[in-house]
Amino acid sequence: AKVLVSADFSVMQILAIRGWIIVVAMMLIVPKLGGPQILKTTQPFKHIIRITVGFAAPYFFFSSLKVMGLADATVIFFGGATFLMTAQSVPLFKEKVGPHRWGAVILGFGGVIIAAQPSEGVFKIEALYAIASGSSYALLVLATRWLGPAEGTFRPVFYYNLGLAVIGSFALPVIFKPMAGGDIITISTMAALAVWGHFCITRAFNSAPVGLLAPFEYTALVWATLLGYFIWSDIPAPN
């Protein structure tokens, strides 16, 4: 995503093309999974809500990557997301978040506050994109939990990416920019990684309490820091 937005491709174009690649690929395996009935859902309204609240997650995060380092954006993203999804899981789903899980979440959140302190120049106006993205992601996770395990994994992933593709496509006539062969390879690879990640995250949050899984989201900071360093030579500030 950072490679593509840095090449001045619109986030809406990225979401549209990535979404359609995922949708087509998933449609190709529908016959092997039992046919069109696998797409039938008894909860269309919940899927629409999930798409609506979750659209801003990739949109604002990809937008933040255009002006921020990968590690900086990821730190701020997960700072709000992990704390919010854990806190809301208690009143919404009556989940019990024990002191050890709250400890993990709060410790991570404290680290995020240190990392994003305004005095170090990380918390710029564009950081609001990452904050908005994290909040949307938290709502997406909660909506996934709301769907329940009976909905399975395939349908939530399919309809979410279909929603992103449709919404992004509305802007294509205005913002479309031709993509070279290398860009097509990049966005295809991105689609493959995204759909695999979506499957894993959806399966996880459909199967286990939010408070149990949320602290593990912080492991993304490790990968973001390493990738940012090896690809763009970004070195996060000491904080």
Side-chain angles (χ1 to χ4, degrees):
K2 185 168 176 61
V3 168
L4 292 170
V5 296
S6 297
D8 286 329
F9 286 106
S10 166
V11 172
M12 294 293 273
Q13 178 174 334
I14 295 170
L15 292 176
I17 296 177
R18 186 192 74 165
W20 288 121
I21 291 174
I22 291 174
V23 168
V24 170
M26 293 184 74
M27 286 295 295
L28 292 176
I29 65 172
V30 163
K32 297 182 180 180
L33 298 177
Q37 61 264 29
I38 195 175
L39 297 177
K40 292 182 180 179
T41 178
T42 59
Q43 306 182 81
F45 178 73
K46 289 186 179 181
H47 282 287
I48 293 173
I49 294 296
R50 185 169 177 267
I51 293 166
T52 302
V53 301
F55 174 80
Y59 179 82
F60 283 117
F61 188 70
F62 295 171
S63 298
S64 72
L65 292 178
K66 192 168 186 177
V67 289
M68 297 181 69
L70 186 61
D72 292 341
T74 305
V75 163
I76 297 172
F77 172 86
F78 281 110
T82 306
F83 188 83
L84 181 61
M85 70 176 72
T86 304
Q88 291 302 312
S89 69
V90 177
L92 291 177
F93 307 115
K94 309 303 179 185
E95 293 183 358
K96 294 182 179 179
V97 182
H100 57 296
R101 294 177 186 173
W102 268 120
V105 171
I106 293 172
L107 184 64
F109 186 64
V112 167
I113 293 175
I114 294 172
Q117 58 183 318
S119 61
E120 292 296 328
V122 175
F123 198 85
K124 301 174 182 176
I125 188 65
E126 55 264 24
L128 293 176
Y129 288 147
I131 293 173
S133 175
S135 300
S136 175
Y137 175 73
L139 294 174
L140 176 65
V141 166
L142 293 170
T144 301
R145 189 72 175 154
W146 185 36
L147 281 172
E151 193 67 3
T153 304
F154 191 90
R155 285 188 290 271
V157 174
F158 178 83
Y159 286 119
Y160 177 66
N161 283 285
L162 177 62
L164 294 183
V166 170
I167 295 171
S169 294
F170 281 113
L172 283 182
V174 178
I175 51 84
F176 181 78
K177 175 183 174 182
M179 306 185 86
D183 300 321
I184 295 296
I185 293 174
T186 299
I187 202 166
S188 298
T189 303
M190 181 185 181
L193 293 169
V195 73
W196 178 246
H198 289 168
F199 264 104
C200 292
I201 290 172
T202 302
R203 179 66 180 272
F205 283 101
N206 262 340
S207 307
V210 173
L212 171 65
L213 299 172
F216 291 96
E217 299 270 26
Y218 287 126
T219 57
L221 306 182
V222 177
W223 302 110
T225 302
L226 291 174
L227 289 169
Y229 175 74
F230 285 113
I231 299 175
W232 294 281
S233 299
D234 288 341
I235 301 177
N239 60 304

